């Protein structure tokens, strides 16, 4: 590409009456004639569904309310796009299904002692993971008729667990925490889940709260972001659940991006084209890519661009559109969601 | 629940004399006056200590000098000194400071709150909690805690 790259704001979605904590693109929309759809969740206790119309702009087509009694912190679509899970400070996780033009809460997952902070579906949609301030990670299995059964409660983190994410194709779960560590959980067979690896301060890990993580498309790398103002890239040489000795291929630290952020980094997202986006407490968005040439001391990454004042307040969540790797959505304390397009600008 | 007060006999200081600010010679209605250290101090000086009928200024928990700010960068840091090293009210005081500034300052402001180094037994843990906005948000959704904070802030709105 000859020209410079620029992150251009294409739309600002307003409607929430409190900060927007998180957002999620519906994975089966935005392609094959199906308009793109995304969900955003807020301190106003609701979830809003936004759909791209014929004019290419997004409209709010549903508001999921009167269910959660406190902040909705995180939301995640099932891989089929048919169900939406919502994690709330009210200690429950809601499961919603689209009925016509509206959404109905078809199940409520209870068990956490206090605020649930994150929810994620595995690649096949058979499992859901949740985590929260009670320091635990719960794994739920979907039964017939939208019923969910808790199959494991994972203890191990010493503090508040901020986020859980499943590997893009293997049933490997990663959690990040206020205890500064990253933990990898695998199953032994027979619902026996355990912590296979813990990436802490001593092993090139973060030195403060780890807020989020994102896997690369093929799943051999992941990026984590922290209150310690760095992004860390981790690599696993093979299929992370392949049997080799103890049946687990460990993650290794390969790169730390420091000096690029001066406030807490709340969110990261890795696009299918290999661009890492970060959202931070200085209201800015930053993009990073791997340096492909002159790789002497191993893989390295550098900042591609910085979008100052992307929002009027902290950026809490960034998510690349899985169907269009040039499109990025961001959510902020300012109560808005913004849609961006990565474009080349000829000089 | 602790029945006795953590610090039954705090040292009480005199309040600093308050001077009326002189009005500027040229009045430009549209000029945004920069926020300064004294203005921030005025927002927090009358916050009541959660345990005693004295303000944070009277107990020297906050002073004008304990406030660092850069209005151009929209940044402020308040350092507070709990009256005793093992003060379990330290997080409540920090929360009161945060809430008052959140309600009083423009939303562009970034606020850091910390305990004065060396003045609290679990300094790092207190600082970490006070600067984790998710923990702060969840705490403020607790009605009893919010009520406690609002009681401490009541005197500052007069």
């Amino acid at each position: 590409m000859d020209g410079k790259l620029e992150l251009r704001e294409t739309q600002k979605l307003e409607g929430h009456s409190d900060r927007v904590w998180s957002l999620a693109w519906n994975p089966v929309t935005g392609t094959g004639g199906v308009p793109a759809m995304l969900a955003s969740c807020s301190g106003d206790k609701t979830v809003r569904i936004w759909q791209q119309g014929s004019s290419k702009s997004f409209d709010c087509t549903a508001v999921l309310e009167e269910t959660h009694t406190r902040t909705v912190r995180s939301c995640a679509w099932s891989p089929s796009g048919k169900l939406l899970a919502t994690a709330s400070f009210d200690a429950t996780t809601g499961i919603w299904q689209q009925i016509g033009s509206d959404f109905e809460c078809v199940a409520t997952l209870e068990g956490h002692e206090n605020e649930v902070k994150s929810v994620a579906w595995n690649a096949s949609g058979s499992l859901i993971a949740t985590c929260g301030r009670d320091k635990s990670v719960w794994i739920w299995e979907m039964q017939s008729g939208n019923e969910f059964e808790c199959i494991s409660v994972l203890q191990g983190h010493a503090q508040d667990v901020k986020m859980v994410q499943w590997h893009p194709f293997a049933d490997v779960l990663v959690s990040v925490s206020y205890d500064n560590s990253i933990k990898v959980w695998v199953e032994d067979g027979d619902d026996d889940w355990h912590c296979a690896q813990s990436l802490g301060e001593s092993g090139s890990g973060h030195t403060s709260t780890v807020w989020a993580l994102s896997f690369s498309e093929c799943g051999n790398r992941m990026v984590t972001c922290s209150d310690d103002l760095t992004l860390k890239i981790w690599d696993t040489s093979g299929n992370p659940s392949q049997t080799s000795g103890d049946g687990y291929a460990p993650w290794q630290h390969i790169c730390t991006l420091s000096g690029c952020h001066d406030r807490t980094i709340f969110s990261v997202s890795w696009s299918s084209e290999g661009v890492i986006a970060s959202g931070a407490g200085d209201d800015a968005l930053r993009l990073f890519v791997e340096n492909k040439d002159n790789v002497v001391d191993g893989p390295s990454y550098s900042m591609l661009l910085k979008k100052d004042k992307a929002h009027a307040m902290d950026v809490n969540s960034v998510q690349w559109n899985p169907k269009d790797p040039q499109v990025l959505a961001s959510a902020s304390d300012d109560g808005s969601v913004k849609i961006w397009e990565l474009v080349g600008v000829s000089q | 629940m602790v029945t006795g007060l953590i610090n039954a006999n705090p040292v009480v200081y005199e309040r600093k004399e308050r001077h009326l600010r002189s009005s500027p010679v040229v009045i430009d209605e549209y000029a945004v006056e920069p926020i300064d250290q004294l203005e921030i101090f005025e927002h927090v000086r009358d916050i009541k200590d959660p345990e005693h009928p004295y303000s944070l200024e009277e107990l020297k928990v906050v002073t004008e000098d304990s406030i660092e700010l850069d209005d151009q960068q929209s940044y402020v840091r308040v350092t507070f000194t709990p009256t005793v090293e093992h003060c379990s009210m330290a997080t409540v005081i920090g929360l009161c400071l945060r809430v008052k500034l959140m309600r009083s300052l423009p939303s562009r402001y970034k606020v850091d709150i910390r305990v004065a180094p060396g003045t609290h037994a679990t300094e790092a843990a207190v600082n970490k909690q006070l600067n984790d906005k998710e923990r702060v948000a969840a705490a403020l959704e607790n009605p009893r805690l919010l009520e406690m904070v609002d009681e401490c802030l009541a005197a500052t709105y007069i």
Side-chain angles (χ1 to χ4, degrees), chain A residues 38-287:
Chain A
L38 71 91
S40 62
C41 56
S42 165
D44 66 12
K45 309 175 197 168
T46 75
V47 174
R48 278 177 179 255
I49 308 296
W50 312 86
Q51 219 164 349
Q52 195 168 32
S54 47
S55 59
K56 291 300 163 202
S57 69
F58 284 83
D59 298 306
C60 180
T61 54
V63 179
L64 282 48
E65 56 194 342
E66 269 145 43
T67 298
H68 285 300
T69 55
R70 286 181 61 180
T71 286
V72 187
R73 178 64 180 87
S74 164
C75 55
W77 296 93
S78 63
S80 67
K82 297 200 178 111
L83 297 173
L84 178 70
T86 57
S88 169
F89 281 1
D90 67 12
T92 72
T93 301
I95 308 293
W96 306 74
Q97 187 167 25
Q98 188 166 15
I99 315 272
S101 59
D102 226 331
F103 280 76
E104 215 176 275
C105 184
V106 297
T108 303
L109 276 42
E110 293 175 343
H112 278 288
E113 279 170 37
N114 44 49
E115 297 92 58
V116 189
K117 303 205 167 171
S118 177
V119 59
W121 299 78
N122 71 340
S124 64
S126 61
L127 304 173
I128 283 183
T130 57
C131 67
R133 182 166 64 90
D134 62 7
K135 308 171 195 171
S136 66
V137 173
W138 289 52
I139 299 186
W140 312 77
E141 188 173 51
M142 187 154 90
Q143 319 280 311
S144 57
N146 289 331
E147 293 276 306
F148 286 83
E149 190 195 314
C150 172
I151 59 168
S152 196
V153 176
L154 309 172
Q155 310 285 2
H157 278 296
Q159 296 275 2
D160 189 5
V161 190
K162 298 293 198 188
M163 184 188 250
V164 280
Q165 282 282 280
W166 289 94
H167 186 271
F169 55 85
D171 277 349
V172 169
L173 182 68
V174 180
S175 59
V176 297
S177 165
Y178 183 99
D179 69 9
N180 309 350
S181 79
I182 298 153
K183 289 189 190 298
V184 186
W185 311 86
V186 299
E187 193 199 359
D188 254 348
D190 237 20
D191 288 352
D192 182 21
W193 290 82
H194 66 278
C195 180
Q197 196 180 8
S198 189
L199 306 166
E201 287 178 68
S202 52
S204 311
H206 288 290
T207 54
S208 189
T209 299
V210 189
W211 279 92
L213 78 139
S214 179
F215 285 96
S216 63
E217 190 178 41
C218 54
N220 68 336
R221 292 211 177 152
M222 65 176 176
V223 56
T224 52
C225 64
S226 166
D227 178 62
D228 70 6
L229 314 181
T230 72
L231 292 180
K232 285 181 186 282
I233 316 283
W234 309 83
D235 185 277
T236 184
S237 44
N239 181 325
S241 65
Q242 79 190 7
T243 38
S244 62
D246 58 359
Y248 174 71
W251 291 86
Q252 286 166 327
H253 169 265
I254 58 165
C255 179
T256 291
L257 287 155
S258 55
C260 308
H261 298 82
D262 45 27
R263 298 291 294 179
T264 304
I265 312 159
F266 293 111
S267 178
V268 269
S269 180
W270 206 321
S271 82
S272 57
E273 284 185 347
V275 182
I276 295 171
S278 75
D282 64 351
D283 316 345
L285 294 173
R286 290 170 177 79
L287 301 184

Side-chain angles (χ1 to χ4, degrees), chain A residues 71 73 162 178 283 316, chain B residues 110 128 132-134 141:
Chain A
T71 286
R73 178 64 180 87
K162 298 293 198 188
Y178 183 99
D283 316 345
N316 296 321
Chain B
K110 304 296 178 190
K128 196 172 187 182
D132 180 320
K133 72 177 189 188
E134 187 182 51
E141 285 185 357

Side-chain angles (χ1 to χ4, degrees), chain B residues 31-56:
Chain B
V32 177
E33 263 180 51
I35 293 171
D36 63 8
Q37 208 182 29
L38 181 58
E39 186 174 338
I40 307 276
F41 186 56
E42 274 169 4
H43 284 306
V44 302
R45 68 199 304 177
D46 293 324
I47 294 174
K48 192 185 90 66
D49 179 274
E51 284 194 308
H52 311 94
Y54 296 109
S55 71
L56 297 188

Side-chain angles (χ1 to χ4, degrees), chain B residues 104-157:
Chain B
S104 315
L105 296 176
S107 59
R108 62 183 166 91
Y109 257 86
K110 304 296 178 190
V111 180
D112 282 346
I113 310 279
R114 64 165 188 169
V115 188
T119 65
H120 196 274
T122 61
E123 183 180 313
V126 172
N127 288 341
K128 196 172 187 182
Q129 263 193 72
L130 290 176
N131 294 294
D132 180 320
K133 72 177 189 188
E134 187 182 51
R135 292 290 284 260
V136 170
L140 295 174
E141 285 185 357
N142 174 333
R144 264 183 311 209
L145 187 52
L146 189 57
E147 204 181 295
M148 197 183 205
V149 168
D150 279 335
E151 254 180 58
C152 294
L153 300 189
T156 67
Y157 294 111

